[in-house]
Amino acid sequence: MEKKYSVAIYPSQDVIDAVKTMKEYLKSKINWYNSCNSTAHITICEFTIDDSQINIFKQKLVKVCDTFIPLPIYLDHFSFYENSGAFFIAPNEASKNNLKPVMKKIQETLKSLKLKKSDDPHLSIGRKLTSENLKIASQLFTTIEIDFLCKEIVLRELDPVKKQFFVIDTFIFNGNAQPEFVQGSLF
């Protein structure tokens, strides 16, 4: 059976709780909106495959995450994408530069799948907001300073009834260096 999956970074529980409060506050001002009930996360990619294949990709994620070193992430400003109506919390430049190679390596690990990729790390507050609601969000939320240690990624599966992703597995960053293959010479 085909299922939709998402690979994402979950921040610390403190950050998840803070973002939930922001989402609830925005919802109290503009009513229901896309992603108002989703857990705070940074999307790496999404894909749809037959669930009988998922274990193959779980093994690939275990292997790649084993090589990553945990990284501190600092989120220090709000921003938005006008074209998609996304309002989000963005990482500072150093955090963005540290997250991008991790995201790219995970996407490369899953490249045999048809991926919907995210190339710009961000933590969404709302998606598909009207320009009016983007303006309201920008007025409600002006300053932010939160951080967390990115030490794992999660694999999530879409619940087709609730239309929400739920975590089915976690992959820890162990900081184990991958042995480099060196071509030997006979002479």
Side-chain angles (χ1 to χ4, degrees):
M1 188 173 126
E2 283 217 329
K3 292 186 179 177
K4 187 171 184 176
Y5 297 94
S6 163
V7 179
I9 296 166
Y10 270 19
S12 64
Q13 191 59 51
D14 290 354
V15 173
I16 288 172
D17 294 343
V19 171
K20 183 177 183 182
T21 301
M22 286 183 238
K23 288 180 176 215
E24 287 169 353
Y25 186 57
L26 182 58
K27 189 176 171 184
S28 76
K29 300 295 180 189
I30 66 171
N31 297 319
W32 184 92
Y33 61 89
N34 283 71
S35 80
C36 66
N37 296 319
S38 70
T39 303
H41 65 279
I42 297 171
T43 301
I44 297 171
C45 60
E46 292 180 1
F47 56 92
T48 302
I49 59 166
D50 191 274
D51 61 347
S52 65
Q53 296 180 291
I54 196 64
N55 286 334
I56 296 163
F57 296 100
K58 282 184 179 185
Q59 289 310 309
K60 291 180 179 200
L61 291 172
V62 165
K63 196 171 179 181
V64 73
C65 288
D66 188 53
T67 66
F68 294 142
I69 295 166
L71 8 131
I73 302 300
Y74 299 94
L75 301 147
D76 67 354
H77 63 284
F78 291 101
S79 190
F80 59 89
Y81 302 129
E82 195 134 16
N83 58 343
S84 66
F87 182 77
F88 57 87
I89 308 170
N92 67 14
E93 209 55 38
S95 294
K96 186 184 278 199
N97 292 338
N98 288 334
L99 281 168
K100 280 187 172 188
V102 168
M103 293 169 68
K104 194 171 179 64
K105 188 100 179 192
I106 290 166
Q107 292 164 353
E108 284 171 12
T109 299
L110 303 173
K111 70 181 175 214
S112 64
L113 299 169
K114 189 178 176 191
L115 298 177
K116 180 182 166 194
K117 299 185 233 178
S118 172
D119 299 321
D120 189 28
H122 63 279
L123 207 156
S124 292
I125 300 292
R127 293 180 307 110
K128 299 181 184 174
L129 298 176
T130 63
S131 51
E132 185 183 312
N133 286 344
L134 274 176
K135 186 178 177 187
I136 291 168
S138 297
Q139 291 167 345
L140 292 175
F141 306 110
T142 54
T143 59
I144 185 92
E145 204 169 304
I146 52 179
D147 63 272
F148 67 95
L149 184 65
C150 176
K151 59 186 186 333
E152 62 194 20
I153 61 167
V154 295
L155 177 64
R156 307 179 309 159
E157 183 183 309
L158 184 68
D159 179 325
V161 176
K162 292 183 179 173
K163 305 241 185 278
Q164 289 289 322
F165 283 102
F166 62 95
V167 175
I168 59 169
D169 215 335
T170 302
F171 304 91
I172 309 293
F173 294 2
N174 292 316
N176 291 320
Q178 232 15 24
E180 289 293 317
F181 177 75
V182 178
Q183 179 76 41
S185 172
L186 293 174
F187 306 101

